[in-house]
Amino acid sequence: MKLIPYINLDSNCSEAMDYYAKVFDGEIIMKMTYREGPEEYLQHLTEDKYDLIMHGEIKIGDQLIYFSDYIGVTKGDIVSLNIECESEEEIKKYYERLKEESKVEMELQDTFWGAKFAHLIDKFGVNWSLNYQKSE
C-alpha cells in the first residue's frame, strides 16, 4: 500500500505547487488544468475557472503529493501533513523555509518523545508537522 496525500486548494493550487516544490526540493510532475480535462468537467465551472488545476503532482524524494483546485474548500481543513526528516540539518532547512510565510504554532524544539519537532500553518492554510526522531 502507498499513501499519497492529496491537498485541495481554492484557486491558488499552481502557486502552492511551485512553493512546495521549492521548499522541499521537489519536482513538479504534472499540472493538468480543467481546460485540459474531459469536457464534462467544464460544465460545472465558469470560464474563469477553466485554467485552475484539476490534478497536479509533486515528487519529493520518493514520495508523491497530489494537488487540486477544489472550489469552496475551507482553509485550514484541507489537510495536515507530517514530514519525517532524516537528519537535524534537513528539519532545520525545511523549518527555516516554511516559517518565512507561515504561522508558527510550535517552534522547532526538542520534545519529550526524543525528537526535534515543529508545527506550522502555511500561507495556504496547510498544517505542517516536522519531526526528526533523534537516535540515542
Side-chain angles (χ1 to χ4, degrees):
M1 184 174 106
K2 186 186 234 184
L3 176 64
I4 301 175
Y6 211 117
I7 298 176
N8 295 299
L9 297 161
D10 187 9
S11 303
N12 58 356
C13 183
S14 184
E15 177 188 357
M17 289 180 69
D18 294 341
Y19 174 75
Y20 295 132
K22 181 179 176 183
V23 166
F24 295 113
D25 300 319
E27 175 187 0
I28 295 173
I29 304 298
M30 72 174 300
K31 285 184 183 180
M32 180 194 297
T33 65
Y34 285 96
R35 185 183 306 275
E36 297 169 304
E39 194 169 314
E40 63 260 21
Y41 283 90
L42 298 178
Q43 296 173 9
H44 306 288
L45 299 174
T46 56
E47 195 170 336
D48 64 317
K49 307 285 188 202
Y50 287 4
D51 292 317
L52 295 177
I53 303 299
M54 182 171 76
H55 179 75
E57 298 179 9
I58 293 179
K59 185 173 184 182
I60 300 171
D62 62 356
Q63 176 68 44
L64 284 175
I65 301 177
Y66 294 163
F67 292 82
S68 181
D69 276 311
Y70 188 82
I71 313 308
V73 71
T74 302
K75 209 173 192 183
D77 292 337
I78 52 181
V79 75
S80 180
L81 297 173
N82 184 70
I83 304 296
E84 289 292 329
C85 297
E86 295 184 18
S87 69
E88 196 160 335
E89 295 75 28
E90 184 179 48
I91 195 170
K92 286 178 181 177
K93 175 177 74 171
Y94 294 157
Y95 177 74
E96 291 301 319
R97 289 178 182 177
L98 274 173
K99 82 174 189 174
E100 287 181 24
E101 298 184 71
S102 299
K103 177 182 177 191
V104 177
E105 295 285 307
M106 183 175 173
E107 293 281 344
L108 182 62
Q109 59 190 269
D110 292 324
T111 64
F112 67 88
W113 63 88
K116 279 214 174 283
F117 180 84
H119 179 242
L120 311 95
I121 301 173
D122 73 19
K123 65 182 181 179
F124 300 104
V126 177
N127 286 279
W128 292 93
S129 295
L130 304 174
N131 192 73
Y132 168 59
Q133 194 65 43
K134 297 186 260 180
S135 55
E136 301 278 339

